[in-house]
Amino acid sequence: MATPGAEEDALARYRSPLVSRYASAEMGFNFSERKKFGTWRRLWLYLAQAEKSLGLPITDEQIQEMEANLDNIDFKMAAEEEKKLRHDVMAHVHTFAHCCPKAAAIIHLGATSCYVGDNTDLIVLRDGFNLLLPKLARVISRLADFAEKYADLPTLGFTHYQPAQLTTVGKRCCLWIQDLCMDLQNLERARDDLRFRGVKGTTGTQASFLQLFEGDHSKVEELDRLVTAKAGFKRAYMVTGQTYSRKVDIEVLSVLASLGASIHKICTDIRLLANLKEIEEPFEKDQIGSSAMPYKRNPMRSERCCSLARHLMTLVLDPLQTASVQWFERTLDDSANRRVCLAEAFLTADIILSTLQNISEGLVVYPKVIERRIRQELPFMATENIIMAMVKAGGNRQDCHEKIRVLSQQAAAVVKQEGGDNDFIDRVRADPYFSPIHKQLESLLDPSSFTGRAPQQVAKFLKEEVRPALIPYQSKMGGKTELAL
């Protein structure tokens, strides 16, 4: 096989579809090499600035040199250095020092590799949450609009996927929204709970910094505080080993896995409703549902969400196992694993939120199909109302019950054995026994009388819980999302 040319090199190697096919450019950049190593250099700058402000012999010229080269990264040189040194952090120390010769002596002063590695991870996780939260809020907002629009539209409820008492299309949507609101709170909490690793040294004791400041504990504490603030965090973990506790990664991926479960449930419901032809996701004019069956309208967006949500839910197993085997102050068997699972969790969450937003902006409802299905099931559900009406008209409850039992069994046989329509009401109309309530039958069968307080619940829920939760994201609510490939 011929060696591919430079222009085809990208196509000759595996690329994760999470980045090449699905995820947003913003989330892709958040986990990029440029973001990672650019953040390393900023952390080295923060450290030097803080050390200088506390009296270490670091010059303004050295600081300015570092500032001027934060994004001037020679990635080829860094790769060559890492191949030689077998150490990524030292490779980038040397690469940064090469373009900052005056500052070379003070870059990474007193720090360990996890100063840049772990602190960068925490910045990236925080920034990842900040990208996900507005997307989740937009999904909730779109679904809230949908729920409000269809708050009064009766639809057949299902328990055990069997016909149950009526609800409304909007009320069912509120079940989805409530789960997503819980996810919004969980993601906000997980983001706000993140702390900075800070300046802790090789095993978390800050010994190297205590030596730099000649035993001055207050200066070491102030160094930690200054660097933490420069990185945009309000707090640092008070104690660490060489790394921040890997239980933090469990907390982060747990809330993302929970989000995955919510979206899987929502999109499964949509897929089932599509089969019933009651609700469909958007289907584009030239979209092909099947290569063999031209009539097909497969719910591919919802299927994609379910497929990727399953991946997202499984990723939390990685940090669970990693945290359980971090011997003493740290082991390095976490590193390769975390390179994969942390990035993939955020990329996957990003994709399924964008896709669900696209779905929620174009959901199609078929009221006539919904009404027909109600008409098929509602006669049986109305039997209790018919009994009550007969009793009010002077009938005997037990006699009425027996009459209805016989007629309903006959109607059920027509539906199940003959494939006919439910003719229970026609049988009631034809039976002289029920003549006292014949004129009431239409009102007794009004679907809206079977939905209880569903419309009121929708209105109250959206007003008191959903809309207030979206207020912090109002400035980012605009725009529609195009579907990725």
Side-chain angles (χ1 to χ4, degrees):
M1 181 177 177
T3 302
E7 70 279 1
E8 297 182 8
D9 187 55
L11 300 177
R13 293 181 295 172
Y14 173 79
R15 294 182 300 160
S16 169
L18 293 177
V19 174
S20 66
R21 190 173 178 91
Y22 298 130
S24 68
E26 296 82 5
M27 191 61 79
F29 175 75
N30 191 50
F31 287 92
S32 68
E33 299 283 274
R34 185 164 295 281
K35 167 77 176 277
K36 175 180 177 179
F37 297 126
T39 304
W40 283 14
R41 290 194 174 187
R42 283 163 175 78
L43 287 168
W44 281 319
L45 173 64
Y46 299 157
L47 180 62
Q49 288 173 330
E51 288 175 336
K52 178 181 181 297
S53 70
L54 292 170
L56 292 188
I58 295 172
T59 66
D60 289 338
E61 191 176 23
Q62 289 173 315
I63 296 295
Q64 291 164 4
E65 189 180 53
M66 293 174 73
E67 290 175 332
N69 287 281
L70 291 176
D71 297 308
N72 177 28
I73 303 174
D74 186 337
F75 286 98
K76 183 178 179 181
M77 178 182 179
E80 291 171 353
E81 287 287 334
E82 184 173 356
K83 187 175 182 179
K84 178 174 64 176
L85 301 173
R86 309 301 297 177
H87 198 288
D88 57 349
V89 173
M90 287 309 299
H92 278 270
V93 169
H94 289 186
T95 303
F96 195 19
H98 180 75
C99 58
C100 298
K102 295 174 183 176
I106 55 93
I107 293 173
H108 199 66
L109 181 61
T112 187
S113 299
C114 286
Y115 167 69
V116 289
D118 272 31
N119 282 326
T120 293
D121 286 344
L122 290 161
I123 290 170
V124 167
L125 294 179
R126 178 197 63 194
D127 293 352
F129 278 128
N130 285 335
L131 289 173
L132 291 180
L133 281 162
K135 293 191 175 190
L136 177 52
R138 283 198 294 271
V139 170
I140 293 170
S141 176
R142 305 306 189 263
L143 289 175
D145 292 341
F146 179 85
E148 190 170 50
K149 181 177 180 180
Y150 294 102
D152 299 320
L153 182 61
T155 190
L156 195 63
F158 291 97
T159 59
H160 316 277
Y161 202 33
Q162 301 300 312
Q165 190 176 57
L166 301 191
T167 182
T168 69
V169 171
K171 170 63 190 301
R172 174 178 285 149
C173 183
C174 284
L175 299 179
W176 304 340
I177 295 170
Q178 181 167 253
D179 286 351
L180 294 176
C181 283
M182 293 172 64
D183 293 314
L184 187 73
Q185 291 176 337
N186 288 338
L187 264 65
E188 288 173 339
R189 174 188 53 76
R191 179 200 59 188
D192 296 343
D193 282 351
L194 284 174
R195 301 189 193 185
F196 203 51
R197 178 190 174 272
V199 181
K200 297 296 194 298
T202 54
T203 57
T205 66
Q206 299 177 303
S208 58
F209 297 104
L210 191 63
Q211 185 176 1
L212 279 175
F213 289 103
E214 298 179 348
D216 191 330
H217 291 268
S218 64
K219 284 191 175 182
V220 175
E221 289 185 4
E222 181 63 6
L223 178 70
D224 204 1
R225 189 196 67 77
L226 286 172
V227 174
T228 296
K230 286 176 181 292
F233 285 81
K234 295 179 180 178
R235 298 180 300 170
Y237 296 107
M238 293 186 69
V239 294
T240 72
Q242 190 170 91
T243 68
Y244 68 79
S245 171
R246 295 313 183 213
K247 281 185 70 66
V248 173
D249 296 342
I250 296 174
E251 294 300 310
V252 169
L253 265 63
S254 290
V255 298
L256 296 182
S258 183
L259 172 65
S262 298
I263 293 179
H264 197 294
K265 183 264 191 292
I266 293 167
C267 290
T268 299
D269 283 356
I270 293 172
R271 292 165 67 189
L272 294 170
L273 290 167
N275 173 262
L276 297 175
K277 297 180 175 60
E278 293 189 6
I279 292 180
E280 286 182 345
E281 65 178 37
F283 196 89
E284 295 169 18
K285 178 177 176 290
D286 297 322
Q287 184 175 330
I288 295 175
S290 168
S291 61
M293 296 169 280
Y295 59 86
K296 292 287 287 295
R297 291 173 66 94
N298 299 334
M300 54 83 71
R301 293 164 169 83
S302 298
E303 290 173 318
R304 176 183 296 174
C305 283
C306 289
S307 180
L308 290 172
R310 286 200 298 273
H311 178 59
L312 179 56
M313 287 185 282
T314 64
L315 288 172
V316 72
L317 295 175
D318 277 345
L320 279 167
Q321 295 182 73
T322 294
S324 72
V325 295
Q326 285 301 287
W327 305 343
F328 305 111
E329 279 64 48
R330 77 94 40 107
T331 65
L332 196 58
D333 63 349
D334 63 335
S335 179
N337 185 290
R338 294 176 69 253
R339 288 176 192 266
V340 176
C341 70
L342 296 180
E344 288 202 354
F346 278 87
L347 290 165
T348 305
D350 179 71
I351 296 160
I352 60 178
L353 281 172
S354 295
T355 307
L356 184 56
Q357 181 184 335
N358 178 266
I359 293 170
S360 62
E361 288 170 347
L363 282 174
V364 181
V365 178
Y366 296 105
K368 293 297 183 182
V369 177
I370 293 172
E371 181 183 0
R372 183 177 184 277
R373 182 158 286 107
I374 289 174
R375 292 296 179 188
Q376 286 289 315
E377 300 293 341
L378 191 59
F380 294 148
M381 297 178 190
T383 54
E384 187 67 20
N385 288 6
I386 292 172
I387 291 173
M388 293 300 102
M390 280 296 295
V391 170
K392 289 178 181 178
N396 180 283
R397 194 255 177 209
Q398 311 315 325
D399 293 341
C400 185
H401 184 279
E402 178 58 20
K403 284 276 189 180
I404 287 178
R405 185 189 69 81
V406 172
L407 295 180
S408 62
Q409 299 246 357
Q410 292 170 351
V414 171
V415 173
K416 295 178 180 179
Q417 297 175 22
E418 301 175 19
D421 291 335
N422 188 333
D423 63 1
F424 171 72
I425 296 301
D426 293 335
R427 293 175 185 273
V428 171
R429 283 198 178 98
D431 192 325
Y433 175 81
F434 294 99
S435 58
I437 64 164
H438 280 168
K439 293 181 178 180
Q440 300 179 46
L441 285 175
E442 284 303 317
S443 62
L444 292 174
L445 289 167
D446 180 5
S448 63
S449 68
F450 289 82
T451 59
R453 297 191 63 254
Q456 291 74 23
Q457 288 178 344
V458 171
K460 186 178 179 66
F461 174 60
L462 295 181
K463 178 182 179 181
E464 296 186 10
E465 292 196 24
V466 179
R467 303 296 188 191
L470 300 179
I471 290 173
Y473 306 98
Q474 288 298 329
S475 64
K476 299 180 179 180
M477 286 297 182
K480 289 192 173 185
T481 294
E482 297 296 325
L483 185 68
L485 286 175

